Amino acid sequence: MGRSRRTIPEELLLLALDPATGTTAQPQSLDLGLAGAQLVELALAGRIAPDGDRIAVVSPRPTGDPTLDCALELLRRRGAPVRAVHWIGGPRLGLRQTYLSHLERCGMVHAVAGQMCGVLPTTRYQATETAISREIRARLDSAIRTGVPPDPRTAALAALAHAVGLGKHLYPGNEGRSSRSRLRDLIRHDPMGGLVAHAVMDVQNGVAAQPRRSPAPGRPQQQQPQVRSTTDGGRMPSQPRRGSMARVVAH
């Protein structure tokens, strides 16, 4: 895979980078989104394909991108297709930092060292190629404004941006409400992007249970908790849950 084209994980991270603070918006869910973005990129490269709600490797040939190839090799070692929600909900700590370091090496961001409260060391990141970030944002804005079905990359990027909660960062306040709604609607334009976006939201909401099984003969079927939509388009159970698969990533 050549480096002339930015990958979807790179573009998602650049979208999430706040130029005012040098930090990423939605840090707790961004690692999940980056894991999902890797799946979309591998699918576009012809290395994996959806199999229902599962992901199957169709070509183990390396892409040339070390981070993507690491994910591809891990998928290959699974042997059998893996559910997207289980893959995205797996251990992905540090993926955000991996891509930030990668963007720094590529010259797209630069790290600024600092201190919090004069004691704790911090690192903030500033985009060095602001034209790239503007171009990425312009593609989303155009798809939202015109209503014309976007290309698969832009549709997948929009789906993942919605899934990790970047809508309120990109289109804040009441004036951005209609844009956030249209951002959510772009999910339908890319099946793979939609699959991983819903998996990201399911992991955050703890709705990553195994597929339903038929009850044993003579045994009453337990009523499943109803699922309701959130205001941001995600899905969450209407009854309280004791556990959650969502991971908290320190920023």
Side-chain angles (χ1 to χ4, degrees), residues 99-183:
Y99 271 103
L100 281 170
S101 299
H102 167 73
L103 290 178
E104 184 181 14
R105 289 192 300 270
C106 293
M108 284 189 263
V109 302
H110 71 274
V112 180
Q115 288 185 332
M116 181 183 296
C117 301
V119 179
L120 298 176
T122 62
T123 303
R124 301 182 183 276
Y125 293 86
Q126 299 291 337
T128 56
E129 298 288 343
T130 56
I132 294 177
S133 299
R134 288 197 301 268
E135 183 272 330
I136 298 170
R137 175 65 181 270
R139 280 165 39 213
L140 287 186
D141 290 345
S142 177
I144 289 173
R145 184 180 64 255
T146 64
V148 176
D151 63 274
R153 284 183 171 276
T154 303
L157 182 63
L160 287 162
H162 165 70
V164 301
L166 288 183
K168 57 189 177 184
H169 165 69
L170 299 171
Y171 307 104
N174 289 332
E175 64 275 14
R177 182 176 300 175
S178 61
S179 293
R180 293 196 298 270
S181 177
R182 295 190 192 105
L183 182 71

